[in-house]
Amino acid sequence: MKNIYLFSIIMVLLPLPTLAQKTTYLSTCGDQQETIVWQEKKANEKIYLTVIQENEQQEYVMNKSFHTEKWQIINLPFQTDLTIELHNNIYSITGKFKGKSIAKTVKSSGCVWYQNIAYNAGILLRDKKTVKYECFRPDNIKLYTMVAEAQGIEQFNGLNANKIAVSLTGFLSAFWSCSYYFDPATLNFVGYKGVNGKPGTPETIIKKVK
């Protein structure tokens, strides 16, 4: 009986594993709709985010300040299984992208790496106007410098939301931009509007489902 009590005390004192938090979104582009599932887990002072959309899965590892440390993109139909890690301002890119093997390094511009700005922009811009960062474009694995700018409250999906505009920097800012929306209370991502493709491509709208 004493052994049972002792075991119970040990179980109470041991830290419990953090369960993954799941959030579902619906992406609409013209007549095409896709479900996006986020699964977030925090452990060992790291944030682990898995994003699944159709045949593609992306894995993010971030520190407590939301800086991306590692990103993996897997899409078997497109013969892609690529991992990017950042160490001492140098990105290490290894794996296969669209059937081609890749093993190379890319130097950081010195900006913070936020590979999934939707995850943390609401918090980053809680008390500032702009944030400059860099990320890789998933369809060509090129590194771009970006800027996110808070634009106040706007109606999205029938509710008030914090709007954050994201664009390229310099003269490229005239060619592409998009909008992210965040819950004013929780600062969590609730939606997106932007054109992801060539001119004439329908606007993509992402809305939180549950």
Side-chain angles (χ1 to χ4, degrees):
M1 196 70 174
K2 290 183 179 179
N3 290 337
I4 294 176
Y5 286 136
L6 180 60
F7 177 76
S8 299
I9 292 171
I10 292 173
M11 289 302 293
V12 169
L13 293 177
L14 286 174
L16 296 174
T18 304
L19 298 177
Q21 181 178 336
K22 182 178 176 180
T23 309
T24 303
Y25 301 90
L26 181 66
S27 174
T28 303
C29 181
D31 297 329
Q32 183 178 359
Q33 288 191 330
E34 295 180 351
T35 299
I36 304 171
V37 177
W38 285 18
Q39 290 181 311
E40 172 196 355
K41 184 174 67 174
K42 297 178 181 178
N44 303 318
E45 299 190 340
K46 301 287 185 185
I47 301 168
Y48 300 88
L49 177 67
T50 300
V51 177
I52 300 171
Q53 182 174 357
E54 298 298 309
N55 295 314
E56 185 171 280
Q57 178 171 315
Q58 298 188 42
E59 304 276 353
Y60 305 82
V61 179
M62 296 166 273
N63 64 19
K64 292 189 298 183
S65 298
F66 308 110
H67 299 181
T68 307
E69 297 181 346
K70 181 180 178 180
W71 174 52
Q72 183 179 19
I73 179 170
I74 302 170
N75 191 321
L76 297 182
F78 281 87
Q79 301 180 60
T80 294
D81 187 346
L82 195 72
T83 299
I84 302 178
E85 295 186 76
L86 178 62
H87 298 286
N88 300 319
N89 270 354
I90 299 295
Y91 291 99
S92 173
I93 306 174
T94 56
K96 185 174 286 189
F97 182 68
K98 296 180 181 179
K100 296 182 179 180
S101 295
I102 296 178
K104 67 177 184 178
T105 58
V106 174
K107 188 175 181 180
S108 167
S109 68
C111 293
V112 177
W113 183 22
Y114 295 132
Q115 186 58 37
N116 188 341
I117 195 65
Y119 179 78
N120 58 313
I123 296 174
L124 289 175
L125 292 167
R126 176 173 44 192
D127 51 12
K128 60 176 69 174
K129 182 67 175 175
T130 61
V131 168
K132 196 174 181 181
Y133 68 100
E134 61 188 19
C135 68
F136 288 88
R137 185 168 155 173
D139 62 346
N140 62 14
I141 312 300
K142 291 184 179 180
L143 185 64
Y144 291 90
T145 302
M146 314 290 293
V147 62
E149 181 178 357
Q151 304 215 317
I153 298 289
E154 184 177 296
Q155 283 270 310
F156 179 81
N157 200 24
L159 298 171
N160 286 336
N162 291 344
K163 180 182 178 182
I164 294 177
V166 170
S167 65
L168 296 163
T169 57
F171 75 93
L172 292 175
S173 63
F175 297 96
W176 183 85
S177 65
C178 65
S179 300
Y180 291 82
Y181 297 87
F182 299 83
D183 185 308
T186 64
L187 304 179
N188 291 334
F189 173 63
V190 295
Y192 167 92
K193 288 183 181 180
V195 176
N196 303 327
K198 299 177 181 179
T201 301
E203 181 181 55
T204 294
I205 300 176
I206 299 173
K207 297 178 181 179
K208 182 180 177 182
V209 178
K210 59 181 178 179

